[in-house]
């Protein structure tokens, strides 16, 4: 496992490094080892300017087994899943799929997303879907603001949208919400299994449960707080 | 005509019931005029948007998977006007074929069957199919002559191409053709398929303003007077962040952002009220009045 004190980019070749690469490959159904670092993904990425590692560098981190650097990067939370990289890669690597795999791995390990507000947004969004079967934008915006203390940002815009009837006051529930809750529970159960059974990387075992970041499910359908 | 009417399972998704009600209204106006039946999927749920698939792969599959299962029970193909919903549904259909274990878990949790028999249509495919576009051409009442519109496709209608299998991922033309059909002037520009930042709309407003600004600048510089979209997230970002985007670019934008169905509806003679044109943040009426189109 790499540590804070190690030089930033030391090539790893041990079984642990290979295991990380294999896990990411399997989750994203792609072959990161095929990346030849041409940089086309970074060149076309609309958000590369705001990332700490370029998409190309993330591919390299995965190849080298630098798990911590990849999972703690801001990049994986800045990525907007626009699939420009995936559509263009000359080596047919699903870079956007790799970003998904890294986010899921980070959450399963209980790491708090390096872009905290992005993580909170996803969590509050899913809390509403779990309770109602549908999202609820007004509630989402309010709870997100309370949780991130961004109380004044977008206040005027929110008012304008409200005045034009763009933010429904009452939440809308799906009558299928019991089934939706069952889906969330099944996802949580599967997560626990993946964390326990997927520990092929030895020390890199992923902890189950909702520590810190976004949860995918809970035993009880609590409300958004 | 003696043909059976076209029928679709209609999946509005959450946005069309809140921020994008005008998209829902205009979809129904166009469907009615074209003789297409849209049957809303009963008890539909949220597709999970980006939040589900960035959190857990099974959740990202199963939320849209349940919607597909409901459409199969109706025995119909699905039309999903929201590009993000469309992307999630199309991806789930693809994943169902690759992950029998996911399908089993979904069936266990919901008690429903998923076979992948219902195809998923995005709004541009739906509008451009021969029967619909022929009906639109026939019913045209008010061609949008002289209206220069930048067709903005965004990400999820065309990418990832292995999932969408729709148009050219770098240079799509389907919306351009629809605009021509209704008499408008499609404006070619370089940012047709650039990302507006969609899922970061609330959590990183600075990034969304920057990305939206680049798209609006490219459209304005190419001579567009308005932008047409086929996604409620694109519309919200380009419309509601337009002022902030202008500030970042050091210029003022004045580009109304219409849903493609609003423009089609207008050309079919529907009123501004029926199409929800008063619900936009960037004034959507002045330009139309100036052009004597409303
Ligand atoms: S485009 Fe593909 S091959 Fe090139 S750097 Fe990116 S991932 Fe590697
Ligand atoms: S999917 Fe993510 S990494 Fe790829 S181009 Fe889009 S924002 Fe960049």
């Amino acid at each position: 496992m790499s540590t804070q004190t190690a030089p930033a980019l030391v090539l790893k070749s041990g079984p642990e490094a290979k295991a990380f690469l294999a896990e990411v490959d399997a989750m994203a159904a792609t072959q990161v080892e095929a990346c030849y670092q041409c940089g086309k993904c970074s060149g076309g990425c609309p958000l590369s300017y705001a990332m700490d590692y370029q998409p190309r560098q993330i591919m390299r981190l995965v190849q080298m087994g630098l798990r911590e650097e990849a999972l703690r990067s801001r990049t994986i939370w800045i990525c907007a899943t626009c699939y420009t990289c995936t559509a263009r890669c000359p080596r047919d690597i699903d870079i956007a799929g790799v970003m998904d795999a890294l986010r899921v791995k980070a959450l399963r390990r209980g790491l708090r997303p390096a872009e905290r507000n992005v993580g909170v947004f996803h969590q509050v969004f899913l809390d509403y879907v779990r309770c109602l079967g549908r999202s609820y934008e007004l509630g989402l915006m309010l709870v997100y603001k309370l949780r991130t203390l961004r109380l004044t940002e977008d206040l005027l815009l929110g008012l304008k949208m409200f005045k034009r009837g763009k933010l429904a006051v009452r939440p809308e529930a799906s009558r299928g919400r019991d089934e939706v809750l069952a889906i969330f529970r099944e996802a949580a159960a599967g997560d626990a299994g993946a964390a326990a059974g997927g520990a092929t990387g030895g020390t890199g075992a992923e902890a189950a449960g909702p520590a810190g970041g976004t949860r995918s499910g809970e035993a009880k359908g609590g409300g958004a707080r | 005509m003696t043909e059976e009417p076209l029928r679709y399972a209609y999946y509005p998704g959450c946005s069309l019931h809140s921020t994008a009600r005008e998209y829902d209204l205009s979809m129904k106006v166009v469907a009615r005029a074209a003789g297409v039946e849209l049957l809303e999927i009963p008890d539909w749920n949220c597709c999970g948007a980006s939040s589900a698939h960035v959190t857990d792969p099974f959740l990202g599959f199963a939320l849209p998977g349940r919607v597909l299962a409901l459409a199969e029970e109706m025995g119909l193909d699905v039309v999903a006007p929201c590009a993000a919903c469309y992307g999630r549904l199309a991806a789930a259909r693809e994943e169902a074929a690759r992950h029998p274990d996911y399908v089993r878990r979904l069936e266990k949790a919901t008690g429903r069957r998923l076979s992948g028999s219902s195809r998923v249509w995005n709004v541009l495919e739906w509008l451009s199919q021969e029967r619909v576009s022929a009906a639109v051409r026939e019913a045209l009442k008010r061609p949008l002559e002289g209206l220069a519109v930048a067709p903005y496709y965004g990400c999820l209608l065309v990418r990832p191409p292995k999932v969408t299998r729709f148009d050219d991922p770098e240079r799509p033309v389907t919306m351009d053709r629809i605009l021509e059909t209704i008499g408008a002037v499609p404006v070619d520009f370089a940012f047709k398929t650039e990302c507006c930042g969609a899922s970061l709309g609330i959590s990183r407003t600075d990034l969304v303003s920057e990305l939206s600004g680049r798209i609006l600048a490219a459209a304005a510089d190419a001579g567009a007077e308005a932008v047409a979209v086929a996604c409620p997230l694109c519309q919200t970002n380009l419309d509601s962040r337009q002022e902030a985007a202008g500030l970042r670019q050091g210029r003022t934008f004045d580009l109304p952002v219409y849903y493609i169905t609003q423009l089609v509806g207008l050309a079919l003679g529907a009123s501004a009220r029926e199409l929800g044109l008063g619900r936009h943040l960037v004034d959507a009426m002045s330009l139309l009045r100036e052009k004597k189109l409303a």
Side-chain angles (χ1 to χ4, degrees):
Chain A
M1 183 180 286
S2 70
T3 65
Q4 297 319 69
T5 51
L9 293 175
V10 175
L11 183 62
K12 304 215 167 172
S13 53
E16 194 193 311
K18 290 216 178 81
F20 182 59
L21 173 62
E23 286 162 25
V24 173
D25 274 3
M27 282 176 80
T30 199
Q31 285 190 297
V32 177
E33 57 274 35
C35 168
Y36 52 24
Q37 294 287 294
C38 69
K40 198 172 181 184
C41 50
S42 305
C45 174
L47 286 159
S48 60
Y49 80 97
M51 291 172 168
D52 49 1
Y53 292 97
Q54 299 291 290
R56 172 186 67 83
Q57 293 176 304
I58 295 284
M59 297 307 111
R60 195 74 182 120
L61 292 178
V62 174
Q63 284 181 333
M64 295 165 84
L66 292 169
R67 179 192 297 263
E68 294 303 309
E69 285 77 356
L71 298 188
R72 292 176 193 273
S73 69
R74 287 177 179 271
T75 295
I76 58 175
W77 299 104
I78 296 281
C79 164
T81 323
C82 75
Y83 297 107
T84 305
C85 49
T86 297
R88 292 181 184 170
C89 174
R91 303 293 279 164
D92 200 24
I93 296 163
D94 182 2
I95 299 126
V98 171
M99 297 291 180
D100 258 356
L102 296 175
R103 287 183 280 244
V104 170
K105 278 185 149 307
L107 293 176
R108 283 187 184 159
R109 284 192 59 196
L111 296 178
R112 171 183 276 205
E115 281 285 326
R116 177 167 178 271
N117 291 354
V118 176
V120 171
F121 171 82
H122 291 312
Q123 183 182 341
V124 178
F125 184 97
L126 290 179
D127 278 343
Y128 274 115
V129 177
R130 191 178 51 227
C131 300
L132 300 168
R134 294 189 186 164
S135 74
Y136 172 42
E137 313 208 21
L138 183 61
L140 168 61
M141 282 168 84
L142 293 176
V143 175
Y144 168 81
K145 287 194 170 310
L146 288 172
R147 297 265 312 265
T148 56
L149 295 176
R150 307 202 123 202
L151 298 174
T152 53
E153 186 186 58
D154 279 346
L155 208 58
L156 266 178
L157 179 62
L159 281 173
K160 277 193 212 164
M161 293 180 72
F162 190 76
K163 275 205 339 228
R164 282 174 180 71
K166 283 184 166 280
L167 296 171
V169 182
R170 290 164 54 104
E172 203 181 86
S174 164
R175 268 176 300 158
R177 65 176 187 265
D178 291 350
E179 288 172 45
V180 170
L181 185 59
I183 287 173
F184 273 87
R185 286 184 177 149
E186 176 60 33
D191 261 10
T200 46
T203 54
E206 281 150 16
T214 310
R215 299 167 319 242
S216 58
E218 274 180 350
K220 286 202 180 80
R225 289 150 306 273
Chain B
M1 267 202 264
T2 51
E3 277 176 294
E4 285 268 302
L6 285 177
R7 303 173 89 200
Y8 289 88
Y10 179 56
Y11 179 61
C14 305
S15 296
L16 273 76
H17 278 209
S18 57
T19 50
R21 209 164 285 145
E22 61 272 29
Y23 197 9
D24 189 45
L25 292 172
S26 54
M27 268 300 284
K28 289 173 178 163
V29 165
V30 174
R32 213 177 305 126
V36 180
E37 279 184 56
L38 297 180
L39 304 171
E40 187 161 320
I41 297 174
D43 306 336
W44 56 267
N45 56 276
C46 172
C47 73
S50 300
S51 297
H53 73 78
V54 306
T55 301
D56 181 90
F58 173 73
L59 195 64
F61 158 78
L63 289 174
R66 176 176 181 270
V67 175
L68 288 178
L70 294 173
E72 283 178 18
E73 286 170 19
M74 300 167 77
L76 296 171
D77 281 358
V78 191
V79 56
C82 168
C85 295
Y86 160 75
R88 293 317 308 154
L89 293 178
R93 185 158 178 259
E94 231 263 310
E95 281 163 19
R98 276 190 291 120
H99 287 289
D101 54 317
Y102 279 8
V103 176
R104 255 194 318 276
R105 289 169 66 193
L106 168 68
E107 292 181 342
K108 188 182 86 184
T110 62
R112 299 183 187 274
R113 293 279 152 271
L114 178 66
S115 69
S117 59
S118 289
R119 218 197 114 184
V120 188
W121 295 64
N122 68 49
V123 78
L124 299 180
E125 288 175 297
W126 178 77
L127 277 171
S128 62
Q129 60 179 308
E130 187 44 38
R131 273 179 70 181
V132 175
S133 70
V136 167
R137 235 175 282 131
E138 225 168 272
L140 214 58
K141 292 214 175 64
R142 180 166 49 193
L144 308 185
E145 269 157 30
L147 191 67
V149 185
Y152 172 62
Y153 297 75
C155 308
L156 300 171
L157 294 172
V158 291
R159 288 190 300 265
K162 278 181 190 162
V163 169
T164 59
R165 296 194 188 87
F166 167 68
D167 211 331
D168 184 314
E170 299 287 355
R171 234 182 154 179
V173 293
T174 308
M175 192 165 12
D176 301 54
R177 296 291 102 84
I178 295 168
L179 288 170
E180 283 167 1
T181 303
I182 57 174
V185 184
V187 175
D188 199 12
F189 71 125
F191 278 61
K192 273 180 166 182
T193 61
E194 282 291 310
C195 177
C196 71
S199 60
L200 302 168
I202 290 179
S203 51
R204 284 298 303 265
T205 56
D206 55 328
L207 300 181
V208 169
S209 299
E210 172 65 26
L211 266 50
S212 299
R214 295 178 190 173
I215 295 160
L216 292 165
D221 292 346
E225 301 165 289
V227 179
V229 297
C231 172
L233 305 180
C234 298
Q235 204 281 343
T236 300
N237 283 344
L238 296 184
D239 188 37
S240 75
R241 301 282 168 207
Q242 197 165 128
E243 209 180 312
L247 285 176
R248 289 181 80 92
Q249 304 268 329
R251 58 195 285 187
T252 312
F253 294 118
D254 185 16
L255 290 168
V257 184
Y258 302 107
Y259 290 106
I260 183 68
T261 43
Q262 287 179 306
L263 294 178
V264 175
L266 202 63
L268 293 174
S271 70
R273 177 177 246 290
E274 286 172 284
L275 299 168
L277 285 163
R279 295 170 43 90
H280 294 225
L281 292 178
V282 175
D283 177 11
M285 289 304 297
S286 304
L287 175 66
L288 298 177
R289 283 202 202 98
E290 208 178 281
K291 302 262 172 186
K292 309 233 175 330
L293 295 170

